[in-house]
Amino acid sequence: YGGWGGFPYDGQESRLFLNGAINLNGHDLDIVLDYNVQNSRSRVDVSGTISGVGNVLISASDGCTAQFNGAADNTFGGTLSFDGGSGGEKFILNKTGGAVTQGRLIIGGICRWNRPEQVADQSVLQITDGGKAYLQDNNETVLNLEMEDGGQVDNGVLLDTGDGTLIVLNRI
């Protein structure tokens, strides 16, 4: 992506595209997004399906982005966790068909729905301290909604549906 010696120029993105299928096969997938030595941000786009048993954890520094897209369900049995800072679009749910997760989705940063029904109806949506979920006028159905404020000053949690509808099938 430009730059000198393989490093992106200041302010550019380093991108990773995960287009093929991923089978967790009893392992966890950890994706860490950080600024590189040239103060450039990192981004990952996951369009391939994720299957098997295991958890997916995404950790992102300010200005870094993870996006789930693609047309098929992720069927992995485990938790999808996002831990991000406070700046910019961090975690984008943008699947054109199918669900990003069938299990628990933990949001500990900024998360944006770019399309409706991004998580399976039997999923648990958990927004933790500092987590912000923006449905951006999209509809979503979840089994349970959990919002946990860790008690730190100025962090809190936020769920903003815009003009969309959030249906909780069981408990809040």
Side-chain angles (χ1 to χ4, degrees):
Y1 295 101
W4 175 82
F7 294 108
Y9 289 117
D10 189 37
Q12 298 294 312
E13 268 188 344
S14 296
R15 293 186 79 166
L16 171 64
F17 296 94
L18 298 174
N19 298 325
I22 299 170
N23 185 342
L24 297 176
N25 197 25
H27 300 280
D28 292 341
L29 173 62
D30 292 333
I31 300 172
V32 179
L33 303 171
D34 205 350
Y35 275 32
N36 66 25
V37 296
Q38 296 294 322
N39 195 30
S40 298
R41 59 194 176 272
S42 299
R43 178 183 175 116
V44 63
D45 289 270
V46 182
S47 61
T49 58
I50 303 174
S51 62
V53 176
N55 301 306
V56 177
L57 171 63
I58 301 170
S59 301
S61 295
D62 286 349
C64 297
T65 302
Q67 177 173 230
F68 277 73
N69 48 31
D73 276 330
N74 289 332
T75 60
F76 71 96
T79 298
L80 172 58
S81 300
F82 176 74
D83 181 20
S86 58
E89 291 185 5
K90 308 296 257 159
F91 190 39
I92 301 170
L93 307 181
N94 194 27
K95 278 198 162 287
T96 57
V100 171
T101 185
Q102 304 291 321
R104 179 177 293 270
L105 173 60
I106 301 174
I107 299 172
I110 297 171
C111 180
R112 298 185 187 278
W113 270 245
N114 280 6
R115 297 180 187 274
E117 301 300 337
Q118 291 294 297
V119 298
D121 291 356
Q122 74 271 15
S123 295
V124 174
L125 175 57
Q126 180 181 354
I127 306 170
T128 62
D129 193 38
K132 294 171 178 37
Y134 297 96
L135 269 58
Q136 301 187 133
D137 303 331
N138 291 299
N139 297 332
E140 186 60 76
T141 302
V142 296
L143 180 64
N144 297 323
L145 173 63
E146 300 173 359
M147 299 178 75
E148 299 178 358
D149 184 357
Q152 297 183 15
V153 177
D154 295 332
N155 281 356
V157 296
L158 173 70
L159 172 61
D160 183 350
T161 62
D163 288 332
T165 300
L166 175 67
I167 298 172
V168 180
L169 298 173
N170 190 28
R171 67 178 174 81
I172 298 177

